[in-house]
mmCIF file of all heavy atoms in Angstrom:
data_model
loop_
_atom_site.group_PDB
_atom_site.id
_atom_site.type_symbol
_atom_site.label_atom_id
_atom_site.label_comp_id
_atom_site.label_asym_id
_atom_site.label_seq_id
_atom_site.Cartn_x
_atom_site.Cartn_y
_atom_site.Cartn_z
ATOM 1 N N LEU A 27 -5.119 -1.637 -8.970
ATOM 2 C CA LEU A 27 -6.120 -0.964 -8.147
ATOM 3 C C LEU A 27 -7.492 -1.253 -8.727
ATOM 4 O O LEU A 27 -7.685 -1.144 -9.945
ATOM 5 C CB LEU A 27 -5.883 0.549 -8.115
ATOM 6 C CG LEU A 27 -4.702 0.979 -7.259
ATOM 7 C CD1 LEU A 27 -3.436 0.994 -8.051
ATOM 8 C CD2 LEU A 27 -4.978 2.317 -6.654
ATOM 9 N N TYR A 28 -8.424 -1.632 -7.848
ATOM 10 C CA TYR A 28 -9.797 -1.909 -8.261
ATOM 11 C C TYR A 28 -10.715 -0.873 -7.639
ATOM 12 O O TYR A 28 -10.694 -0.666 -6.425
ATOM 13 C CB TYR A 28 -10.229 -3.309 -7.811
ATOM 14 C CG TYR A 28 -11.671 -3.602 -8.130
ATOM 15 C CD1 TYR A 28 -12.049 -3.964 -9.419
ATOM 16 C CD2 TYR A 28 -12.655 -3.499 -7.156
ATOM 17 C CE1 TYR A 28 -13.372 -4.216 -9.725
ATOM 18 C CE2 TYR A 28 -13.979 -3.757 -7.448
ATOM 19 C CZ TYR A 28 -14.335 -4.112 -8.740
ATOM 20 O OH TYR A 28 -15.642 -4.359 -9.039
ATOM 21 N N SER A 29 -11.523 -0.217 -8.457
ATOM 22 C CA SER A 29 -12.467 0.782 -7.978
ATOM 23 C C SER A 29 -13.825 0.138 -7.734
ATOM 24 O O SER A 29 -14.422 -0.425 -8.656
ATOM 25 C CB SER A 29 -12.617 1.912 -8.998
ATOM 26 O OG SER A 29 -13.691 2.759 -8.632
ATOM 27 N N PHE A 30 -14.304 0.241 -6.488
ATOM 28 C CA PHE A 30 -15.658 -0.251 -6.188
ATOM 29 C C PHE A 30 -16.714 0.650 -6.821
ATOM 30 O O PHE A 30 -17.848 0.242 -6.998
ATOM 31 C CB PHE A 30 -15.882 -0.323 -4.675
ATOM 32 C CG PHE A 30 -15.270 -1.539 -4.041
ATOM 33 C CD1 PHE A 30 -14.096 -1.443 -3.329
ATOM 34 C CD2 PHE A 30 -15.865 -2.778 -4.162
ATOM 35 C CE1 PHE A 30 -13.517 -2.558 -2.741
ATOM 36 C CE2 PHE A 30 -15.308 -3.903 -3.587
ATOM 37 C CZ PHE A 30 -14.124 -3.800 -2.877
ATOM 38 N N ILE A 31 -16.347 1.879 -7.182
ATOM 39 C CA ILE A 31 -17.295 2.815 -7.783
ATOM 40 C C ILE A 31 -17.501 2.502 -9.265
ATOM 41 O O ILE A 31 -18.629 2.355 -9.729
ATOM 42 C CB ILE A 31 -16.814 4.273 -7.602
ATOM 43 C CG1 ILE A 31 -16.761 4.607 -6.108
ATOM 44 C CG2 ILE A 31 -17.724 5.249 -8.346
ATOM 45 C CD1 ILE A 31 -16.066 5.913 -5.782
ATOM 46 N N THR A 32 -16.405 2.404 -10.023
ATOM 47 C CA THR A 32 -16.506 2.184 -11.470
ATOM 48 C C THR A 32 -16.413 0.711 -11.867
ATOM 49 O O THR A 32 -16.623 0.378 -13.028
ATOM 50 C CB THR A 32 -15.396 2.952 -12.207
ATOM 51 O OG1 THR A 32 -14.119 2.425 -11.801
ATOM 52 C CG2 THR A 32 -15.481 4.442 -11.919
ATOM 53 N N LYS A 33 -16.062 -0.147 -10.912
ATOM 54 C CA LYS A 33 -15.862 -1.583 -11.175
ATOM 55 C C LYS A 33 -14.776 -1.808 -12.219
ATOM 56 O O LYS A 33 -14.866 -2.692 -13.059
ATOM 57 C CB LYS A 33 -17.164 -2.260 -11.630
ATOM 58 C CG LYS A 33 -18.370 -1.978 -10.779
ATOM 59 C CD LYS A 33 -18.258 -2.640 -9.435
ATOM 60 C CE LYS A 33 -19.557 -2.501 -8.661
ATOM 61 N NZ LYS A 33 -19.392 -2.043 -7.326
ATOM 62 N N SER A 34 -13.735 -0.975 -12.168
ATOM 63 C CA SER A 34 -12.662 -1.062 -13.147
ATOM 64 C C SER A 34 -11.308 -1.254 -12.462
ATOM 65 O O SER A 34 -11.163 -1.014 -11.270
ATOM 66 C CB SER A 34 -12.630 0.208 -14.005
ATOM 67 O OG SER A 34 -12.371 1.327 -13.186
ATOM 68 N N TRP A 35 -10.327 -1.669 -13.255
ATOM 69 C CA TRP A 35 -8.973 -1.927 -12.785
ATOM 70 C C TRP A 35 -7.994 -0.935 -13.391
ATOM 71 O O TRP A 35 -8.135 -0.535 -14.550
ATOM 72 C CB TRP A 35 -8.532 -3.343 -13.184
ATOM 73 C CG TRP A 35 -9.210 -4.417 -12.417
ATOM 74 C CD1 TRP A 35 -10.352 -5.091 -12.768
ATOM 75 C CD2 TRP A 35 -8.791 -4.973 -11.176
ATOM 76 N NE1 TRP A 35 -10.659 -6.018 -11.816
ATOM 77 C CE2 TRP A 35 -9.721 -5.970 -10.814
ATOM 78 C CE3 TRP A 35 -7.727 -4.718 -10.318
ATOM 79 C CZ2 TRP A 35 -9.614 -6.719 -9.650
ATOM 80 C CZ3 TRP A 35 -7.615 -5.466 -9.155
ATOM 81 C CH2 TRP A 35 -8.554 -6.454 -8.833
ATOM 82 N N THR A 36 -6.981 -0.563 -12.625
ATOM 83 C CA THR A 36 -5.874 0.264 -13.097
ATOM 84 C C THR A 36 -4.583 -0.446 -12.733
ATOM 85 O O THR A 36 -4.433 -0.926 -11.612
ATOM 86 C CB THR A 36 -5.897 1.655 -12.416
ATOM 87 O OG1 THR A 36 -7.149 2.277 -12.668
ATOM 88 C CG2 THR A 36 -4.769 2.527 -12.919
ATOM 89 N N GLU A 37 -3.661 -0.504 -13.686
ATOM 90 C CA GLU A 37 -2.356 -1.101 -13.436
ATOM 91 C C GLU A 37 -1.380 -0.005 -13.043
ATOM 92 O O GLU A 37 -1.364 1.063 -13.645
ATOM 93 C CB GLU A 37 -1.861 -1.812 -14.689
ATOM 94 C CG GLU A 37 -0.524 -2.498 -14.510
ATOM 95 C CD GLU A 37 -0.047 -3.183 -15.782
ATOM 96 O OE1 GLU A 37 -0.702 -3.035 -16.835
ATOM 97 O OE2 GLU A 37 0.988 -3.854 -15.715
ATOM 98 N N ALA A 38 -0.592 -0.254 -12.025
ATOM 99 C CA ALA A 38 0.428 0.704 -11.588
ATOM 100 C C ALA A 38 1.738 -0.056 -11.416
ATOM 101 O O ALA A 38 1.842 -0.940 -10.572
ATOM 102 C CB ALA A 38 0.007 1.378 -10.290
ATOM 103 N N ASN A 39 2.734 0.295 -12.213
ATOM 104 C CA ASN A 39 4.001 -0.425 -12.205
ATOM 105 C C ASN A 39 5.003 0.187 -11.237
ATOM 106 O O ASN A 39 5.116 1.405 -11.140
ATOM 107 C CB ASN A 39 4.603 -0.446 -13.612
ATOM 108 C CG ASN A 39 3.784 -1.304 -14.541
ATOM 109 O OD1 ASN A 39 3.206 -2.299 -14.137
ATOM 110 N ND2 ASN A 39 3.716 -0.912 -15.801
ATOM 111 N N ALA A 40 5.713 -0.688 -10.534
ATOM 112 C CA ALA A 40 6.823 -0.309 -9.650
ATOM 113 C C ALA A 40 6.437 0.792 -8.658
ATOM 114 O O ALA A 40 7.159 1.753 -8.467
ATOM 115 C CB ALA A 40 8.040 0.103 -10.464
ATOM 116 N N ILE A 41 5.307 0.639 -7.995
ATOM 117 C CA ILE A 41 4.865 1.654 -7.028
ATOM 118 C C ILE A 41 5.081 1.232 -5.580
ATOM 119 O O ILE A 41 4.987 2.052 -4.683
ATOM 120 C CB ILE A 41 3.383 2.028 -7.233
ATOM 121 C CG1 ILE A 41 2.488 0.814 -7.014
ATOM 122 C CG2 ILE A 41 3.171 2.636 -8.593
ATOM 123 C CD1 ILE A 41 1.038 1.155 -6.905
ATOM 124 N N LEU A 42 5.333 -0.041 -5.360
ATOM 125 C CA LEU A 42 5.632 -0.533 -4.016
ATOM 126 C C LEU A 42 7.111 -0.893 -3.954
ATOM 127 O O LEU A 42 7.707 -1.228 -4.974
ATOM 128 C CB LEU A 42 4.793 -1.773 -3.696
ATOM 129 C CG LEU A 42 3.286 -1.611 -3.782
ATOM 130 C CD1 LEU A 42 2.605 -2.965 -3.654
ATOM 131 C CD2 LEU A 42 2.796 -0.668 -2.717
ATOM 132 N N VAL A 43 7.689 -0.822 -2.781
ATOM 133 C CA VAL A 43 9.091 -1.228 -2.672
ATOM 134 C C VAL A 43 9.217 -2.700 -3.009
ATOM 135 O O VAL A 43 8.354 -3.505 -2.673
ATOM 136 C CB VAL A 43 9.676 -0.936 -1.270
ATOM 137 C CG1 VAL A 43 9.709 0.539 -0.994
ATOM 138 C CG2 VAL A 43 8.943 -1.685 -0.188
ATOM 139 N N ASP A 44 10.270 -3.049 -3.700
ATOM 140 C CA ASP A 44 10.538 -4.447 -4.027
ATOM 141 C C ASP A 44 11.417 -5.038 -2.935
ATOM 142 O O ASP A 44 12.527 -5.479 -3.176
ATOM 143 C CB ASP A 44 11.196 -4.558 -5.396
ATOM 144 C CG ASP A 44 11.354 -5.999 -5.833
ATOM 145 O OD1 ASP A 44 10.582 -6.849 -5.365
ATOM 146 O OD2 ASP A 44 12.266 -6.288 -6.632
ATOM 147 N N GLN A 45 10.913 -4.958 -1.719
ATOM 148 C CA GLN A 45 11.595 -5.462 -0.525
ATOM 149 C C GLN A 45 10.567 -6.210 0.320
ATOM 150 O O GLN A 45 9.376 -6.175 0.029
ATOM 151 C CB GLN A 45 12.174 -4.293 0.286
ATOM 152 C CG GLN A 45 13.165 -3.436 -0.466
ATOM 153 C CD GLN A 45 14.432 -4.222 -0.835
ATOM 154 O OE1 GLN A 45 14.832 -5.154 -0.155
ATOM 155 N NE2 GLN A 45 15.052 -3.842 -1.936
ATOM 156 N N ILE A 46 11.017 -6.832 1.369
ATOM 157 C CA ILE A 46 10.092 -7.494 2.292
ATOM 158 C C ILE A 46 9.261 -6.417 2.969
ATOM 159 O O ILE A 46 9.795 -5.430 3.472
ATOM 160 C CB ILE A 46 10.850 -8.354 3.309
ATOM 161 C CG1 ILE A 46 11.622 -9.455 2.568
ATOM 162 C CG2 ILE A 46 9.898 -8.947 4.331
ATOM 163 C CD1 ILE A 46 12.555 -10.248 3.446
ATOM 164 N N LYS A 47 7.948 -6.589 2.919
ATOM 165 C CA LYS A 47 7.045 -5.578 3.453
ATOM 166 C C LYS A 47 5.895 -6.237 4.206
ATOM 167 O O LYS A 47 5.583 -7.404 4.003
ATOM 168 C CB LYS A 47 6.526 -4.664 2.349
ATOM 169 C CG LYS A 47 5.890 -5.378 1.178
ATOM 170 C CD LYS A 47 5.750 -4.434 0.002
ATOM 171 C CE LYS A 47 5.764 -5.112 -1.337
ATOM 172 N NZ LYS A 47 6.980 -5.721 -1.748
ATOM 173 N N SER A 48 5.266 -5.451 5.071
ATOM 174 C CA SER A 48 4.139 -5.944 5.858
ATOM 175 C C SER A 48 2.853 -5.869 5.035
ATOM 176 O O SER A 48 2.850 -5.398 3.897
ATOM 177 C CB SER A 48 3.976 -5.096 7.124
ATOM 178 O OG SER A 48 3.485 -3.803 6.777
ATOM 179 N N ASN A 49 1.785 -6.270 5.666
ATOM 180 C CA ASN A 49 0.466 -6.086 5.081
ATOM 181 C C ASN A 49 0.081 -4.605 5.149
ATOM 182 O O ASN A 49 0.693 -3.826 5.855
ATOM 183 C CB ASN A 49 -0.562 -6.933 5.836
ATOM 184 C CG ASN A 49 -0.590 -6.598 7.306
ATOM 185 O OD1 ASN A 49 0.446 -6.591 7.980
ATOM 186 N ND2 ASN A 49 -1.757 -6.297 7.825
ATOM 187 N N PHE A 50 -0.939 -4.235 4.379
ATOM 188 C CA PHE A 50 -1.475 -2.877 4.449
ATOM 189 C C PHE A 50 -2.376 -2.758 5.674
ATOM 190 O O PHE A 50 -3.099 -3.700 6.012
ATOM 191 C CB PHE A 50 -2.339 -2.569 3.219
ATOM 192 C CG PHE A 50 -1.572 -2.372 1.959
ATOM 193 C CD1 PHE A 50 -1.643 -3.294 0.932
ATOM 194 C CD2 PHE A 50 -0.804 -1.234 1.761
ATOM 195 C CE1 PHE A 50 -0.966 -3.100 -0.256
ATOM 196 C CE2 PHE A 50 -0.114 -1.024 0.573
ATOM 197 C CZ PHE A 50 -0.202 -1.961 -0.442
ATOM 198 N N ILE A 51 -2.353 -1.581 6.313
ATOM 199 C CA ILE A 51 -3.312 -1.268 7.376
ATOM 200 C C ILE A 51 -3.723 0.186 7.236
ATOM 201 O O ILE A 51 -3.015 0.986 6.620
ATOM 202 C CB ILE A 51 -2.751 -1.523 8.795
ATOM 203 C CG1 ILE A 51 -1.543 -0.627 9.083
ATOM 204 C CG2 ILE A 51 -2.422 -2.978 9.026
ATOM 205 C CD1 ILE A 51 -1.164 -0.566 10.553
ATOM 206 N N ALA A 52 -4.849 0.526 7.824
ATOM 207 C CA ALA A 52 -5.272 1.927 7.892
ATOM 208 C C ALA A 52 -4.823 2.467 9.247
ATOM 209 O O ALA A 52 -5.070 1.856 10.281
ATOM 210 C CB ALA A 52 -6.780 2.040 7.742
ATOM 211 N N ASP A 53 -4.160 3.634 9.234
ATOM 212 C CA ASP A 53 -3.701 4.220 10.488
ATOM 213 C C ASP A 53 -4.807 5.064 11.119
ATOM 214 O O ASP A 53 -5.953 5.058 10.660
ATOM 215 C CB ASP A 53 -2.407 5.003 10.290
ATOM 216 C CG ASP A 53 -2.582 6.294 9.496
ATOM 217 O OD1 ASP A 53 -3.731 6.661 9.151
ATOM 218 O OD2 ASP A 53 -1.569 6.950 9.212
ATOM 219 N N TYR A 54 -4.472 5.813 12.150
ATOM 220 C CA TYR A 54 -5.459 6.599 12.893
ATOM 221 C C TYR A 54 -6.108 7.697 12.048
ATOM 222 O O TYR A 54 -7.173 8.195 12.374
ATOM 223 C CB TYR A 54 -4.816 7.200 14.151
ATOM 224 C CG TYR A 54 -3.665 8.132 13.854
ATOM 225 C CD1 TYR A 54 -3.856 9.497 13.712
ATOM 226 C CD2 TYR A 54 -2.374 7.621 13.702
ATOM 227 C CE1 TYR A 54 -2.796 10.342 13.417
ATOM 228 C CE2 TYR A 54 -1.314 8.459 13.417
ATOM 229 C CZ TYR A 54 -1.531 9.823 13.278
ATOM 230 O OH TYR A 54 -0.485 10.645 12.990
ATOM 231 N N ASN A 55 -5.475 8.085 10.925
ATOM 232 C CA ASN A 55 -6.048 9.075 10.012
ATOM 233 C C ASN A 55 -6.784 8.432 8.837
ATOM 234 O O ASN A 55 -7.151 9.107 7.895
ATOM 235 C CB ASN A 55 -4.941 9.972 9.432
ATOM 236 C CG ASN A 55 -4.396 10.935 10.430
ATOM 237 O OD1 ASN A 55 -5.126 11.442 11.270
ATOM 238 N ND2 ASN A 55 -3.095 11.192 10.351
ATOM 239 N N ASN A 56 -6.928 7.112 8.878
ATOM 240 C CA ASN A 56 -7.467 6.334 7.764
ATOM 241 C C ASN A 56 -6.577 6.372 6.535
ATOM 242 O O ASN A 56 -7.037 6.188 5.415
ATOM 243 C CB ASN A 56 -8.898 6.754 7.401
ATOM 244 C CG ASN A 56 -9.900 6.119 8.318
ATOM 245 O OD1 ASN A 56 -9.662 5.039 8.857
ATOM 246 N ND2 ASN A 56 -11.019 6.785 8.512
ATOM 247 N N ASP A 57 -5.279 6.658 6.725
ATOM 248 C CA ASP A 57 -4.311 6.563 5.637
ATOM 249 C C ASP A 57 -3.868 5.111 5.521
ATOM 250 O O ASP A 57 -3.672 4.429 6.528
ATOM 251 C CB ASP A 57 -3.081 7.430 5.917
ATOM 252 C CG ASP A 57 -3.394 8.913 5.862
ATOM 253 O OD1 ASP A 57 -4.233 9.321 5.033
ATOM 254 O OD2 ASP A 57 -2.794 9.661 6.654
ATOM 255 N N LEU A 58 -3.705 4.639 4.301
ATOM 256 C CA LEU A 58 -3.246 3.280 4.063
ATOM 257 C C LEU A 58 -1.722 3.263 4.162
ATOM 258 O O LEU A 58 -1.035 4.017 3.464
ATOM 259 C CB LEU A 58 -3.702 2.809 2.684
ATOM 260 C CG LEU A 58 -3.536 1.332 2.397
ATOM 261 C CD1 LEU A 58 -4.441 0.508 3.303
ATOM 262 C CD2 LEU A 58 -3.858 1.047 0.942
ATOM 263 N N ILE A 59 -1.190 2.408 5.030
ATOM 264 C CA ILE A 59 0.256 2.338 5.245
ATOM 265 C C ILE A 59 0.721 0.892 5.246
ATOM 266 O O ILE A 59 -0.076 -0.039 5.404
ATOM 267 C CB ILE A 59 0.677 3.028 6.568
ATOM 268 C CG1 ILE A 59 0.018 2.344 7.772
ATOM 269 C CG2 ILE A 59 0.349 4.515 6.539
ATOM 270 C CD1 ILE A 59 0.517 2.858 9.119
ATOM 271 N N TYR A 60 2.022 0.713 5.046
ATOM 272 C CA TYR A 60 2.662 -0.587 5.234
ATOM 273 C C TYR A 60 4.093 -0.341 5.683
ATOM 274 O O TYR A 60 4.613 0.767 5.591
ATOM 275 C CB TYR A 60 2.614 -1.453 3.969
ATOM 276 C CG TYR A 60 3.548 -1.052 2.865
ATOM 277 C CD1 TYR A 60 4.830 -1.574 2.790
ATOM 278 C CD2 TYR A 60 3.150 -0.170 1.869
ATOM 279 C CE1 TYR A 60 5.694 -1.218 1.770
ATOM 280 C CE2 TYR A 60 4.001 0.187 0.842
ATOM 281 C CZ TYR A 60 5.275 -0.340 0.797
ATOM 282 O OH TYR A 60 6.123 0.014 -0.210
ATOM 283 N N TYR A 61 4.729 -1.377 6.175
ATOM 284 C CA TYR A 61 6.089 -1.257 6.699
ATOM 285 C C TYR A 61 7.081 -1.871 5.723
ATOM 286 O O TYR A 61 6.923 -3.014 5.288
ATOM 287 C CB TYR A 61 6.186 -1.944 8.061
ATOM 288 C CG TYR A 61 7.499 -1.689 8.753
ATOM 289 C CD1 TYR A 61 7.779 -0.445 9.307
ATOM 290 C CD2 TYR A 61 8.461 -2.679 8.844
ATOM 291 C CE1 TYR A 61 8.991 -0.192 9.934
ATOM 292 C CE2 TYR A 61 9.672 -2.447 9.477
ATOM 293 C CZ TYR A 61 9.924 -1.200 10.014
ATOM 294 O OH TYR A 61 11.129 -0.953 10.634
ATOM 295 N N ASP A 62 8.100 -1.117 5.381
ATOM 296 C CA ASP A 62 9.207 -1.569 4.538
ATOM 297 C C ASP A 62 10.306 -2.043 5.486
ATOM 298 O O ASP A 62 10.970 -1.228 6.126
ATOM 299 C CB ASP A 62 9.671 -0.402 3.662
ATOM 300 C CG ASP A 62 10.987 -0.665 2.948
ATOM 301 O OD1 ASP A 62 11.518 -1.787 3.025
ATOM 302 O OD2 ASP A 62 11.492 0.287 2.309
ATOM 303 N N TYR A 63 10.490 -3.355 5.604
ATOM 304 C CA TYR A 63 11.462 -3.905 6.543
ATOM 305 C C TYR A 63 12.895 -3.563 6.166
ATOM 306 O O TYR A 63 13.729 -3.322 7.027
ATOM 307 C CB TYR A 63 11.302 -5.433 6.660
ATOM 308 C CG TYR A 63 10.059 -5.837 7.407
ATOM 309 C CD1 TYR A 63 8.908 -6.206 6.726
ATOM 310 C CD2 TYR A 63 10.025 -5.829 8.793
ATOM 311 C CE1 TYR A 63 7.757 -6.564 7.414
ATOM 312 C CE2 TYR A 63 8.887 -6.193 9.487
ATOM 313 C CZ TYR A 63 7.753 -6.556 8.795
ATOM 314 O OH TYR A 63 6.627 -6.908 9.468
ATOM 315 N N ASN A 64 13.200 -3.533 4.879
ATOM 316 C CA ASN A 64 14.563 -3.242 4.451
ATOM 317 C C ASN A 64 14.939 -1.790 4.753
ATOM 318 O O ASN A 64 16.025 -1.516 5.246
ATOM 319 C CB ASN A 64 14.725 -3.533 2.960
ATOM 320 C CG ASN A 64 16.167 -3.475 2.521
ATOM 321 O OD1 ASN A 64 17.018 -4.127 3.101
ATOM 322 N ND2 ASN A 64 16.433 -2.680 1.490
ATOM 323 N N GLY A 65 14.037 -0.852 4.457
ATOM 324 C CA GLY A 65 14.309 0.554 4.723
ATOM 325 C C GLY A 65 14.005 0.955 6.150
ATOM 326 O O GLY A 65 14.289 2.073 6.555
ATOM 327 N N ASP A 66 13.400 0.043 6.923
ATOM 328 C CA ASP A 66 13.038 0.287 8.322
ATOM 329 C C ASP A 66 12.193 1.564 8.449
ATOM 330 O O ASP A 66 12.475 2.440 9.256
ATOM 331 C CB ASP A 66 14.287 0.379 9.193
ATOM 332 C CG ASP A 66 13.969 0.261 10.681
ATOM 333 O OD1 ASP A 66 12.940 -0.359 11.021
ATOM 334 O OD2 ASP A 66 14.747 0.794 11.498
ATOM 335 N N VAL A 67 11.134 1.642 7.600
ATOM 336 C CA VAL A 67 10.298 2.841 7.573
ATOM 337 C C VAL A 67 8.864 2.463 7.184
ATOM 338 O O VAL A 67 8.648 1.509 6.450
ATOM 339 C CB VAL A 67 10.883 3.884 6.586
ATOM 340 C CG1 VAL A 67 10.841 3.379 5.153
ATOM 341 C CG2 VAL A 67 10.197 5.211 6.710
ATOM 342 N N LEU A 68 7.913 3.217 7.710
ATOM 343 C CA LEU A 68 6.523 3.072 7.283
ATOM 344 C C LEU A 68 6.334 3.830 5.977
ATOM 345 O O LEU A 68 6.882 4.919 5.803
ATOM 346 C CB LEU A 68 5.572 3.650 8.332
ATOM 347 C CG LEU A 68 5.342 2.815 9.579
ATOM 348 C CD1 LEU A 68 4.506 3.594 10.575
ATOM 349 C CD2 LEU A 68 4.673 1.498 9.240
ATOM 350 N N LYS A 69 5.561 3.262 5.077
ATOM 351 C CA LYS A 69 5.239 3.914 3.805
ATOM 352 C C LYS A 69 3.748 4.233 3.792
ATOM 353 O O LYS A 69 2.937 3.421 4.217
ATOM 354 C CB LYS A 69 5.569 2.997 2.630
ATOM 355 C CG LYS A 69 7.017 2.594 2.520
ATOM 356 C CD LYS A 69 7.822 3.675 1.914
ATOM 357 C CE LYS A 69 9.245 3.213 1.674
ATOM 358 N NZ LYS A 69 9.968 4.103 0.810
ATOM 359 N N LYS A 70 3.404 5.418 3.304
ATOM 360 C CA LYS A 70 2.021 5.860 3.239
ATOM 361 C C LYS A 70 1.588 5.988 1.787
ATOM 362 O O LYS A 70 2.298 6.567 0.970
ATOM 363 C CB LYS A 70 1.869 7.197 3.953
ATOM 364 C CG LYS A 70 0.450 7.723 3.979
ATOM 365 C CD LYS A 70 0.345 8.961 4.837
ATOM 366 C CE LYS A 70 0.274 10.173 3.956
ATOM 367 N NZ LYS A 70 0.005 11.406 4.682
#
């Protein structure tokens, strides 16, 4: 994760599914989501 405010990086391990997934998009609430094809579910 890169912060545009602090110009710094944070490492986050094993936070995304290790499956085939879509790109990130912002939904109607401005929540960042992506689709997990293996689990057949949207992740927020």
Side-chain angles (χ1 to χ4, degrees):
L27 286 89
Y28 176 79
S29 170
F30 281 103
I31 297 169
T32 63
K33 311 290 188 229
S34 62
W35 288 93
T36 303
E37 182 181 6
N39 291 327
I41 62 168
L42 302 171
V43 296
D44 186 25
Q45 301 295 331
I46 298 172
K47 54 195 152 293
S48 71
N49 57 308
F50 287 111
I51 62 165
D53 70 5
Y54 61 93
N55 287 324
N56 279 332
D57 291 325
L58 191 66
I59 61 173
Y60 74 90
Y61 188 73
D62 168 6
Y63 288 98
N64 190 53
D66 195 26
V67 65
L68 284 174
K69 299 281 186 166
K70 182 173 103 173

